[in-house]
C-alpha cells in the first residue's frame, strides 16, 4: 500500500528541509524518517481536496426589517403640526358657535384669517428649507460635529419661532369677533379658556392618536402647555398678531364696538349707569379713541381699544365717585355724580357675589395647575375630590385603540389589563357633586349685587356756584370743607403698591382687572398713562386759550369759550389732584 504524504511546515531536525510527512502507528514522521514531537500542521493547497471531517452548520439569518422612525421630522413634522393646530382651532369655533351663541359666520372669518397666517408660514418654512439645503450643499466634509449640533439648534429655534402657539388660536377667534362687530373683550375669551368652556387646557387631547403618535415631542409640548394662562398674556399675543397682520397684509381691523361693551362693563362692576355718559364725553377728547392703532416702534399693549375703554371708565369713576370719604357737592340735581357710591356697601356686595358664584363650583384649571405638593397635603376631602376629578378629566386618556395594543405591550410579553377588568374598578366619584351654577344663576346673583349697590347710593348736597363762592369768601372753614366740587382732589396711582393706601380703590381696580383679564399692575400703569394723556390735553387747551386771549379775542368769544369749557369742568379740575 503506498504511503500517503501530507505537506506541512519544514521539519528542521538537523537542518532537514523535508516538508512532507506521513503517519505510522499514530506517530508522525517526515519523508526522511525523522519523528515529530508536535502535531502535524498541514498546508492545504488550492487544488488539493481532503475528506470532510465534520458537518458544518450555519445559522440562518433572520430578516430584520429596517427600523423606521414613527415620528416625523423637518418640514413634514411642521405640516402635521399645522394640521393638528387647525383641528383644535376648528373645535374652538364649534364651541363658540354652538355653546356661546356666536353667528355661524365666525368659522368662515376665522378660516380666512388662518389662511393668511398659513400663507405667511409657508413662505417662512420654504425659506428655512432652502437655507438648510444650501447649508448641506456647500458644507465641507471635514467639519466637526460641533457645527452640526449648532446648526440643529438654530433650526429648532427657527421652527419654534415660525410655528404658531396655542394661545394664537384665541387671538384668531378674537379678531374674527371684532370683524363681526361682536361686543366681546379678551377677558371673556381668557375666562372661557381657563374654565374649560372652550377647548384650550390640554388641547392635545382633541388630536387623534394616529396624528399624535407621529408628532415630535417639541410640538406636543406647544399644544399641551403646562403653565396656566396668566392675565395679560393674551393681550400681548393679540398685540403681536395685530402687528403681524398689518406689516405683511396691510390689514387694519375696524374700531371696537364699544357702546354695548361699555354697558357690559358698567353692569359687571355694579356702578351707576350715568357713568356711561361721562365715559363717552372723556373719550371724545382723545383722538382715534377705541380704534386699533397702527403698529409703531415701542408701542405698548395698553394701546388696545378695550384697555382704553376700561381705563376711561375708571377715570370717570374716580372723578365722580372718588374712593375717599371727603364730602363733595354738585351744582345741579341733574349733574353726573349727584348720587354717590357707598364704597363700603359696594365692597360688601362684591364679596357676597363672589361667594355665591363660587359656591358648589370647583376652582379653575389655573388654580389646579398651580397646585403644589404642600397644597395637596392641606386639602380637605371635598377639595381632594375636586382635584382628582379635574386630574382624571384632564390628564387621563380615555381614547383606547385596540389596534395599538400590541405596540403598547411590554418587552416581557405582559399584556395590559383588559377593559373588562378596568371597568370593575371605576375611578368616578360615587356621589357626584351638584351641577355648577348656570348662567341664569350668575345673572340673578349679579342682579342682586346691582340692586344692593343702587339701594345704598348716597345723595350729595346741591350747592350753587354763587353760594359756594360766598362761603369761600366768608372764610368759613367747615363750610368750605363741605363745598368741595366733584372732581377736585383727584388722586392718581402710579404702581399697584400705591393702592394699599385705599382698600376701596384696590378692590375696584381688582374687579376691573378681572373683567378685562389683565393683571393688576398692568391695569394701574395703563390708567396712569391715560391720565397723563388727558393731563397733556388739558395743558394744550390752557395754552391755546391763553394764546387766543393774548391775540385780543372779543368778549363774546370769551363768553362762548367759558360756556363750552363748563362741560369739561370736572375733568379740568380733577386732573390737578395728587399723585400717589
Amino acid at each position: 500500500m503506498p504511503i500517503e504524504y501530507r505537506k506541512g511546515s519544514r521539519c528542521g531536525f538537523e537542518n532537514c528541509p523535508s516538508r512532507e510527512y506521513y503517519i505510522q502507528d499514530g506517530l508522525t514522521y517526515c519523508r526522511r524518517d525523522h519523528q515529530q514531537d508536535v502535531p502535524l500542521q498541514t498546508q492545504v493547497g488550492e487544488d488539493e481536496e481532503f475528506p470532510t471531517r465534520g458537518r458544518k452548520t450555519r445559522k440562518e439569518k433572520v430578516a430584520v426589517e429596517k427600523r423606521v422612525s414613527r415620528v416625523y421630522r423637518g418640514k413634514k413634522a411642521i405640516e402635521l403640526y399645522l394640521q393638528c393646530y387647525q383641528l383644535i382651532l376648528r373645535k374652538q369655533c364649534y364651541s363658540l358657535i354652538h355653546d356661546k351663541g356666536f353667528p355661524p359666520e365666525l368659522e368662515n372669518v376665522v378660516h380666512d384669517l388662518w389662511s393668511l397666517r398659513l400663507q405667511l408660514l409657508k413662505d417662512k418654512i420654504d425659506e428655512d428649507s432652502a437655507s438648510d439645503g444650501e447649508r448641506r450643499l456647500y458644507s465641507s466634509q471635514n467639519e466637526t460635529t460641533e457645527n452640526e449640533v449648532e446648526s440643529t439648534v438654530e433650526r429648532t429655534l427657527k421652527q419654534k419661532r415660525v410655528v404658531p402657539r396655542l394661545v394664537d388660536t384665541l387671538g384668531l377667534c378674537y379678531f374674527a369677533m371684532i370683524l363681526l362687530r361682536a361686543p366681546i373683550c379678551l377677558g371673556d375669551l381668557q375666562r372661557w379658556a381657563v374654565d374649560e368652556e372652550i377647548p384650550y387646557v390640554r388641547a392635545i387631547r382633541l388630536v387623534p392618536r394616529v396624528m399624535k403618535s407621529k408628532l415630535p415631542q417639541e410640538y406636543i409640548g406647544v399644544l399641551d402647555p403646562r403653565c396656566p394662562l396668566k392675565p395679560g398674556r393674551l393681550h400681548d399675543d393679540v398685540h403681536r398678531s395685530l402687528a403681524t397682520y398689518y406689516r405683511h397684509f396691510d390689514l387694519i381691523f375696524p374700531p371696537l364696538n364699544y357702546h354695548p361693551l361699555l354697558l357690559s362693563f358698567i353692569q359687571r362692576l355694579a356702578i351707576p349707569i350715568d357713568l356711561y355718559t361721562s365715559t363717552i364725553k372723556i373719550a371724545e377728547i382723545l383722538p382715534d379713541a377705541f380704534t386699533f392703532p397702527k403698529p409703531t416702534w415701542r408701542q405698548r399693549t395698553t394701546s388696545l381699544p378695550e384697555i382704553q375703554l376700561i381705563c376711561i371708565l375708571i377715570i370717570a369713576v374716580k372723578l365722580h365717585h372718588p374712593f375717599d370719604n371727603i364730602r363733595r357737592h354738585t351744582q345741579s340735581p341733574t349733574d353726573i355724580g349727584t348720587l354717590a357710591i357707598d364704597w363700603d356697601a359696594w365692597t360688601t356686595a362684591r364679596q357676597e357675589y363672589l361667594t355665591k358664584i363660587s359656591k358648589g363650583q370647583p376652582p379653575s384649571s389655573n388654580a389646579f395647575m398651580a397646585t403644589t405638593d404642600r397644597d395637596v397635603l392641606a386639602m380637605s376631602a371635598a377639595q381632594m375630590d375636586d382635584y382628582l376629578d379635574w386630574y382624571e378629566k384632564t390628564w387621563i386618556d380615555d381614547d383606547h385603540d385596540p389596534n395599538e395594543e400590541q405596540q403598547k405591550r411590554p418587552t416581557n410579553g405582559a399584556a395590559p389589563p383588559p377593559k373588562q377588568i378596568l371597568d370593575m374598578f371605576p375611578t368616578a366619584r360615587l356621589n357626584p357633586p351638584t351641577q355648577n351654577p348656570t348662567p341664569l344663576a350668575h345673572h340673578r346673583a349679579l342682579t342682586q349685587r346691582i340692586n344692593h349697590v343702587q339701594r345704598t347710593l348716597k345723595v350729595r348736597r346741591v350747592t350753587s356756584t354763587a353760594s359756594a363762592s360766598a362761603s369761600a369768601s366768608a372764610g368759613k372753614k367747615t363750610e368750605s370743607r363741605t363745598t368741595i366740587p366733584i372732581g377736585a382732589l383727584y388722586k392718581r396711582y402710579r404702581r399697584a403698591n400705591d393702592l394699599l393706601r385705599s382698600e376701596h380703590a384696590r378692590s375696584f381696580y381688582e374687579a376691573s382687572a378681572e373683567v378685562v383679564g389683565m393683571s393688576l399692575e398692568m391695569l394701574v400703569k395703563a390708567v396712569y398713562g391715560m391720565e397723563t394723556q388727558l393731563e397733556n390735553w388739558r395743558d394744550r387747551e390752557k395754552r391755546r386759550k391763553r394764546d387766543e386771549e393774548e391775540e385780543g379775542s372779543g368778549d363774546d368769544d370769551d363768553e362762548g369759550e367759558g360756556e363750552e369749557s363748563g362741560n369739561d369742568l370736572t375733568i379740568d379740575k380733577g386732573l390737578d389732584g395728587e399723585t400717589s
Side-chain angles (χ1 to χ4, degrees):
M1 181 176 179
I3 300 175
E4 182 181 357
Y5 291 95
R6 298 179 182 177
K7 288 185 178 182
S9 59
R10 187 172 176 273
C11 177
F13 183 78
E14 294 181 355
N15 296 327
C16 177
S18 177
R19 294 180 177 272
E20 296 180 351
Y21 300 89
Y22 65 93
I23 299 175
Q24 184 178 359
D25 299 333
L27 299 176
T28 304
Y29 299 92
C30 70
R31 197 175 187 84
R32 296 185 180 184
D33 299 331
H34 297 147
Q35 184 179 352
Q36 306 295 319
D37 297 334
V38 295
L40 177 63
Q41 297 180 358
T42 60
Q43 295 180 356
V44 181
E46 296 180 357
D47 299 334
E48 298 182 9
E49 297 182 359
F50 295 95
T52 304
R53 295 183 178 273
R55 176 177 294 180
K56 295 182 180 180
T57 58
R58 291 187 177 182
K59 185 178 179 180
E60 295 182 0
K61 294 183 179 180
V62 179
V64 180
E65 297 181 359
K66 187 177 180 180
R67 187 174 181 180
V68 181
S69 178
R70 295 173 54 194
V71 178
Y72 290 163
R73 297 294 178 186
K75 186 176 180 180
K76 200 171 184 180
I78 299 179
E79 293 177 354
L80 179 60
Y81 169 79
L82 295 178
Q83 293 176 3
C84 300
Y85 189 90
Q86 183 171 324
L87 176 63
I88 296 173
L89 182 60
R90 187 172 184 180
K91 290 183 177 294
Q92 288 179 346
C93 294
Y94 182 87
S95 179
L96 290 172
I97 294 173
H98 293 82
D99 298 339
K100 298 301 179 181
F102 286 92
E105 293 80 9
L106 177 69
E107 185 174 357
N108 298 331
V109 180
V110 171
H111 177 270
D112 296 338
L113 293 174
W114 176 240
S115 300
L116 294 177
R117 192 68 181 270
L118 279 180
Q119 180 181 351
L120 183 61
L121 291 173
K122 180 178 180 300
D123 298 338
K124 290 185 177 181
I125 293 173
D126 293 342
E127 290 178 2
D128 292 343
S129 302
S131 61
D132 292 344
E134 293 179 358
R135 188 182 300 109
R136 288 191 297 268
L137 180 62
Y138 295 103
S139 62
S140 175
Q141 296 181 356
N142 297 327
E143 286 184 343
T144 59
T145 57
E146 183 179 358
N147 294 335
E148 296 178 359
V149 173
E150 290 180 357
S151 61
T152 304
V153 173
E154 291 177 359
R155 285 197 301 270
T156 304
L157 293 176
K158 283 184 178 180
Q159 291 175 0
K160 288 184 178 180
R161 289 194 298 265
V162 167
V163 298
R165 295 169 298 176
L166 183 61
V167 71
D168 293 338
T169 58
L170 302 179
L172 288 172
C173 296
Y174 175 73
F175 288 142
M177 296 173 185
I178 292 298
L179 292 174
L180 293 175
R181 307 292 292 163
I184 193 71
C185 68
L186 290 173
D188 297 331
L189 276 175
Q190 181 175 346
R191 194 177 305 107
W192 295 338
V194 170
D195 295 340
E196 302 184 43
E197 298 182 17
I198 59 175
Y200 181 80
V201 179
R202 292 281 296 162
I204 193 65
R205 295 175 297 170
L206 305 176
V207 179
R209 186 184 297 273
V210 179
M211 302 174 66
K212 194 190 314 181
S213 61
K214 298 180 180 180
L215 199 63
Q217 187 62 36
E218 54 268 20
Y219 294 125
I220 293 179
V222 176
L223 297 179
D224 186 14
R226 302 300 177 89
C227 58
L229 185 60
K230 297 181 180 180
R233 182 184 175 186
L234 183 57
H235 297 77
D236 295 337
D237 180 78
V238 167
H239 185 264
R240 192 183 307 108
S241 300
L242 187 69
T244 301
Y245 279 110
Y246 177 76
R247 186 180 302 111
H248 295 279
F249 306 105
D250 293 333
L251 179 60
I252 300 178
F253 291 90
L256 185 69
N257 190 9
Y258 61 91
H259 290 286
L261 191 59
L262 178 57
L263 291 175
S264 176
F265 287 169
I266 293 175
Q267 182 183 19
R268 296 180 193 179
L269 295 175
I271 53 181
I273 191 61
D274 54 1
L275 290 170
Y276 175 87
T277 305
S278 178
T279 304
I280 298 300
K281 285 184 177 181
I282 299 176
E284 293 174 355
I285 300 174
L286 302 175
D288 301 331
F290 311 135
T291 59
F292 288 90
K294 297 181 180 179
T296 57
W297 175 250
R298 299 183 63 180
Q299 189 179 63
R300 297 182 179 179
T301 308
T302 53
S303 60
L304 294 176
E306 66 179 48
I307 299 180
Q308 296 178 6
L309 180 62
I310 193 65
C311 290
I312 297 177
L313 178 59
I314 293 175
I315 292 174
V317 171
K318 293 170 65 177
L319 282 171
H320 301 285
H321 305 276
F323 305 111
D324 51 27
N325 295 323
I326 300 176
R327 298 179 61 183
R328 291 172 172 81
H329 75 90
T330 59
Q331 298 180 5
S332 172
T334 59
D335 287 347
I336 299 176
T338 303
L339 297 177
I341 298 177
D342 185 357
W343 288 110
D344 293 330
W346 185 90
T347 305
T348 303
R350 178 173 179 262
Q351 295 297 333
E352 294 177 355
Y353 169 75
L354 295 177
T355 303
K356 289 180 181 180
I357 63 175
S358 61
K359 186 177 180 180
Q361 183 177 6
S364 62
S365 60
N366 278 1
F368 283 132
M369 294 179 71
T371 303
T372 60
D373 50 354
R374 294 184 179 180
D375 298 333
V376 172
L377 295 176
M379 285 182 179
S380 61
Q383 292 175 347
M384 182 65 70
D385 290 339
D386 293 337
Y387 179 72
L388 293 179
D389 289 343
W390 173 83
Y391 193 91
E392 178 185 6
K393 181 181 66 173
T394 307
W395 295 95
I396 296 181
D397 191 4
D398 296 334
D399 186 13
H400 179 71
D401 189 0
N403 297 329
E404 294 190 0
E405 182 177 355
Q406 186 66 25
Q407 299 178 2
K408 292 183 179 180
R409 188 186 300 267
T411 55
N412 56 7
K419 189 176 184 301
Q420 293 78 6
I421 300 297
L422 296 177
D423 292 339
M424 295 175 62
F425 303 93
T427 59
R429 195 185 302 189
L430 297 178
N431 297 323
T434 58
Q435 295 182 355
N436 296 337
T438 60
L440 182 59
H442 284 185
H443 180 71
R444 290 177 179 174
L446 182 59
T447 303
Q448 294 177 2
R449 176 188 175 188
I450 295 175
N451 293 336
H452 179 75
V453 174
Q454 294 291 333
R455 288 194 304 266
T456 58
L457 292 177
K458 298 180 295 185
V459 180
R460 284 196 175 103
R461 179 181 177 183
V462 179
T463 305
S464 62
T465 307
S467 61
S469 59
S471 62
S473 61
K476 298 179 181 180
K477 184 177 291 187
T478 56
E479 187 70 16
S480 61
R481 186 64 179 174
T482 58
T483 56
I484 298 177
I486 294 178
L489 302 180
Y490 183 92
K491 290 186 178 181
R492 292 188 290 171
Y493 305 96
R494 186 186 294 268
R495 292 173 296 272
N497 294 333
D498 298 336
L499 296 174
L500 297 175
R501 304 176 184 177
S502 176
E503 180 183 357
H504 298 155
R506 184 175 182 86
S507 179
F508 184 77
Y509 269 82
E510 288 177 351
S512 302
E514 291 175 0
V515 169
V516 294
M518 298 172 59
S519 62
L520 181 61
E521 184 70 27
M522 185 177 178
L523 180 60
V524 171
K525 292 182 179 179
V527 174
Y528 185 81
M530 184 63 66
E531 291 169 343
T532 304
Q533 189 175 355
L534 291 174
E535 185 179 6
N536 296 334
W537 168 84
R538 182 203 61 187
D539 296 339
R540 290 194 302 269
E541 288 296 313
K542 286 183 177 181
R543 288 195 298 267
R544 182 181 63 83
K545 292 179 182 179
R546 186 169 58 250
D547 294 340
E548 290 179 356
E549 291 177 356
E550 292 177 356
E551 291 176 358
S553 59
D555 296 335
D556 297 337
D557 297 338
D558 293 336
E559 293 178 359
E561 290 175 358
E563 293 176 356
E564 293 177 357
S565 62
N567 297 330
D568 296 331
L569 182 62
T570 57
I571 300 175
D572 189 16
K573 291 185 177 181
L575 294 178
D576 289 329
E578 302 174 358
T579 301
S580 299

